[in-house]
Amino acid sequence: MRSLTKRFVGLGLLVLLCTGTALAQPVSSRHGVGPYFGFGADPDQFIVGGQGIIGLSGSRVHFSPSMDFGIGDEINAVTINFDVTYDFLPASSRVAFYAGAGPTLAFLSSDRYDDDTEAGLSLVTGVKLPGKTGNSFNIGIRAGLGDIPEMRMTAAYIFNMR
């Protein structure tokens, strides 16, 4: 578990660093970053993580990288997601429904099994609810296809970075 975590936490931090670099773009971009928590199934886990949202102003398409840590079911999982999402309602709406997909890397470790690295495709959907000063509260569901965690339900608070 320790060797797996050390190897791939660095990769996850690189993803978050890339998100931070993208957030330094001009004001014409729509973007944010924030923490999330939730639970997963197969394996049954408690989830904590972080997410970024990067998109052009007025665009309904966003790049939403995220990284999470799952603990439970005798397995520790680190997943790194590279999602592209589409908002079904215009940016002027108070509520936004979104869906998307993207590749996912899963780094799994357990005291009972060998460490494993898997890749798959994630399908995501959810709703963004408005918060104060442009921030948002997101509730989402992620379904994994392939040998990655099958389902994750999360709640996030995204801080507007404009």
Side-chain angles (χ1 to χ4, degrees):
M1 178 358 209
R2 290 185 184 124
S3 65
L4 178 69
T5 302
K6 287 179 184 178
R7 288 185 296 174
F8 298 112
V9 165
L11 181 59
L13 292 174
L14 180 63
V15 169
L16 294 177
L17 177 64
C18 291
T19 300
T21 302
L23 294 176
Q25 292 179 1
V27 175
S28 64
S29 294
R30 178 179 178 197
H31 42 263
V33 65
Y36 65 82
F37 69 94
F39 65 92
D42 198 17
D44 297 338
Q45 296 185 315
F46 175 73
I47 310 296
V48 295
Q51 174 182 3
I53 298 175
I54 304 162
L56 296 176
S57 181
S59 174
R60 294 184 185 186
V61 177
H62 302 96
F63 175 56
S64 299
S66 64
M67 177 179 156
D68 61 53
F69 300 92
I71 301 167
D73 212 8
E74 298 184 21
I75 296 174
N76 296 311
V78 176
T79 60
I80 301 173
N81 310 291
F82 303 94
D83 302 325
V84 175
T85 61
Y86 177 81
D87 289 348
F88 290 103
L89 299 174
S92 60
S93 302
R94 301 258 317 138
V95 175
F97 296 95
Y98 65 90
T104 295
L105 295 174
F107 308 103
L108 309 169
S109 66
S110 171
D111 292 336
R112 298 180 67 177
Y113 307 104
D114 292 334
D115 292 351
D116 198 11
T117 301
E118 299 292 346
L121 178 69
S122 287
L123 305 176
V124 296
T125 188
V127 62
K128 297 176 189 175
L129 305 169
K132 294 185 178 186
T133 65
N135 299 337
S136 65
F137 182 71
N138 296 358
I139 300 169
I141 299 174
R142 170 181 304 281
L145 304 176
D147 291 331
I148 60 175
E150 282 190 20
M151 190 274 302
R152 302 267 207 231
M153 292 185 69
T154 58
Y157 191 80
I158 305 298
F159 296 94
N160 184 4
M161 303 298 283
R162 290 198 331 167

